[in-house]
Amino acid sequence: MNSEIKQRAHNKAFSKMLTLERDISKLKLDIRTGGDGRLGVDLLKTCLSSTEKELQTWQYIAKLIETNE
């Protein structure tokens, strides 16, 4: 049972990290092109910073999952 929960947690963490990495790429593209039409560059930069911090958090969580015996 414990290994099943660990595997599900692992899958969820890595899925979240992939989503955040995709979001970061999109935000960087939108910043380079001057905005996405809805949000200004300054707000996009704030979103990028926040998303990068969230990715770091999920990377830390994934590391804890992987190293937890």
Side-chain angles (χ1 to χ4, degrees):
M1 179 70 169
N2 193 23
S3 65
E4 182 182 335
I5 291 171
K6 184 177 178 180
Q7 184 61 46
R8 287 197 322 255
H10 172 272
N11 292 345
K12 183 174 274 300
F14 278 88
S15 174
K16 184 65 174 179
M17 288 188 309
L18 287 172
T19 299
L20 290 168
E21 289 169 353
R22 186 194 66 222
D23 293 347
I24 288 169
S25 294
K26 176 80 168 86
L27 286 165
K28 286 180 177 179
L29 176 63
D30 289 342
I31 290 167
R32 280 194 305 271
T33 60
D36 70 351
R38 298 173 297 138
L39 306 174
V41 173
D42 289 340
L43 185 53
L44 289 170
K45 287 180 179 179
T46 301
C47 291
L48 175 60
S49 176
S50 176
T51 305
E52 288 172 337
K53 287 177 186 174
E54 186 175 358
L55 177 58
Q56 290 173 342
T57 301
W58 278 102
Q59 288 170 334
Y60 180 75
I61 291 168
K63 181 180 176 185
L64 292 176
I65 292 167
E66 291 299 310
T67 59
N68 184 9
E69 298 298 324

